Amino acid sequence: MPKRVAMTVVGLLMTAVSVALFRKVAWGVDPFTCFVEAVENLSGQSYGIVFPCVQGVLLVVTFFLGRRYIGLGTLLGLFGTGVFVELFARVLEMLCPQPVLAVKILLFALGFGILCVGASLYITSDLGVSSYDAMSLILADRKFAPFRVCRILTDCICVATGLAFHANIGVATVLTAFFMGPFISW
């Protein structure tokens, strides 16, 4: 159990770091962050406030459709991820206020790798996943399609919503939308 808790915590922290890295590079964000940014733009609230609200709404859906995906990881992600994204963003701003192109490329590559490994860690720990991650797992459980396809579908829905409401969309958004699901599965 301690190993699984550590996997959950480290995985969630890694996903928060990756979101902060993507936001720093400004080449787009991961699909769910894109969706959260769309809600941010509509509401005028900060990421740290909007993220748990959106996750909370999805948590209600998860409760009825895939209760087994709710656990420690769900709660830690719900209440901690938004706060840690903002914290890591502040740290990045202090360490690297104006990154040059080579640094941006490095930060982007790190962000993508860290996001995939982090998500894999906390999903594999089987102590609950974010309510967003639960959506593609629930679809896969119901034999809609394999997980990687369900993840691409949910990611594309988030990107379309972000596009409609002027979220930060770029190369990072497109790459994570189409490749994160397969990388997590791998």
Side-chain angles (χ1 to χ4, degrees):
M1 185 59 115
K3 181 180 176 182
R4 291 172 54 209
V5 170
M7 288 172 61
T8 298
V9 170
V10 169
L12 288 168
L13 288 173
M14 289 174 75
T15 60
V17 166
S18 68
V19 171
L21 288 168
F22 283 155
R23 291 181 105 182
K24 180 64 182 172
V25 172
W27 291 346
V29 292
D30 67 276
F32 185 64
T33 300
C34 181
F35 182 83
V36 172
E37 284 185 356
V39 176
E40 266 185 284
N41 292 342
L42 289 170
S43 69
Q45 297 296 316
S46 72
Y47 187 88
I49 291 176
V50 172
F51 181 87
C53 292
V54 171
Q55 285 282 28
V57 169
L58 292 175
L59 182 58
V60 172
V61 175
T62 304
F63 180 80
F64 289 106
L65 298 178
R67 195 172 297 147
R68 73 183 192 94
Y69 292 113
I70 298 172
L72 176 66
T74 311
L75 298 176
L76 291 175
L78 177 66
F79 297 111
T81 302
V83 173
F84 280 110
V85 166
E86 289 184 344
L87 173 70
F88 293 134
R90 285 188 201 114
V91 170
L92 274 172
E93 187 58 34
M94 288 187 308
L95 294 176
C96 189
Q98 297 288 326
V100 295
L101 181 60
V103 173
K104 284 186 173 190
I105 291 169
L106 176 65
L107 293 177
F108 167 74
L110 283 171
F112 184 77
I114 290 169
L115 181 62
C116 293
V117 171
S120 295
L121 271 175
Y122 84 80
I123 289 171
T124 304
S125 72
D126 199 28
L127 290 178
V129 298
S130 78
S131 48
Y132 173 68
D133 291 323
M135 297 299 110
S136 47
L137 291 166
I138 291 166
L139 287 171
D141 285 351
R142 294 174 183 243
K143 309 293 187 227
F144 180 80
F147 169 78
R148 66 184 178 279
V149 174
C150 294
R151 182 59 184 236
I152 292 169
L153 174 67
T154 58
D155 285 349
C156 287
I157 290 168
C158 286
V159 172
T161 304
L163 186 61
F165 296 101
H166 312 291
N168 183 8
I169 296 175
V171 67
T173 313
V174 174
L175 288 175
T176 53
F178 289 103
F179 295 106
M180 191 168 150
F183 273 100
I184 291 172
S185 291
W186 176 70

